[in-house]
Amino acid sequence: MSCLFCMLAKGEIHSDIVFEDDEIIAFRDINPQAPHHILVIPRRHIATVNDANSEDAALIGKLTLAAQRVAKDLSVAEDGYRLVMNCNDHGGQTVFHLHLHLLAGRPMHWPPG
Ligand code: AMP
Ligand code: ZN
């Protein structure tokens, strides 16, 4: 199985990394939708939120904490930011390796389109 984000997590494809540890990597989105647009992913392949299970609970929690840390590092935590996880067709998911979008640097609109 060839997965873009698995390759990126292994360093086989270049990315602009802002945070990484043994389980998680965070990098800048190639097509940013905000002044700061970071993708936070598990190194381990999970295709969609639908494919996560109770064994992944801690890992998914760590994605949120990694996003919090990146937001603080980028000095956008106090102004605020948006965390988004798209799932499948109606969610607008295009890369089928679970990821958390961190969007920051401008006011976000609600409801989303
Ligand atoms: P989603 O639509 O939620 O699946 O988000 C996938 C995101 O991956 C999109 O925002 C893309 O711009 C982004 N993306 C695709 N390829 C790359 C890449 N090589 N490096 C960084 N971001 C990418
Ligand atoms: Zn993958």
Side-chain angles (χ1 to χ4, degrees):
M1 174 210 49
S2 153
C3 168
L4 177 69
F5 284 0
C6 280
M7 293 171 76
L8 209 146
K10 289 180 198 152
E12 294 171 0
I13 292 176
H14 173 78
S15 65
D16 188 356
I17 295 169
V18 296
F19 170 80
E20 61 181 322
D21 66 14
D22 55 336
E23 292 182 290
I24 287 169
I25 178 167
F27 53 91
R28 291 198 175 273
D29 195 295
I30 204 167
N31 183 23
Q33 302 301 312
H36 293 292
H37 187 171
I38 310 296
L39 300 175
V40 186
I41 73 169
R43 290 188 186 274
R44 180 154 58 80
H45 184 85
I46 301 170
T48 79
V49 177
N50 288 340
D51 300 296
N53 59 48
S54 57
E55 289 174 11
D56 304 315
L59 181 59
I60 288 173
K62 286 177 188 176
L63 294 179
T64 303
L65 292 177
Q68 177 209 70
R69 174 174 170 164
V70 170
K72 287 178 177 169
D73 288 349
L74 294 173
S75 301
V76 297
E78 288 309 312
D79 280 346
Y81 50 91
R82 180 166 295 173
L83 301 180
V84 177
M85 216 179 257
N86 297 325
C87 183
N88 278 346
D89 187 24
H90 284 193
Q93 185 173 7
T94 59
V95 176
F96 289 85
H97 178 129
L98 188 144
H99 51 280
L100 185 61
H101 294 256
L102 164 61
L103 296 149
R106 64 167 172 80
M108 301 297 148
H109 304 294
W110 193 264

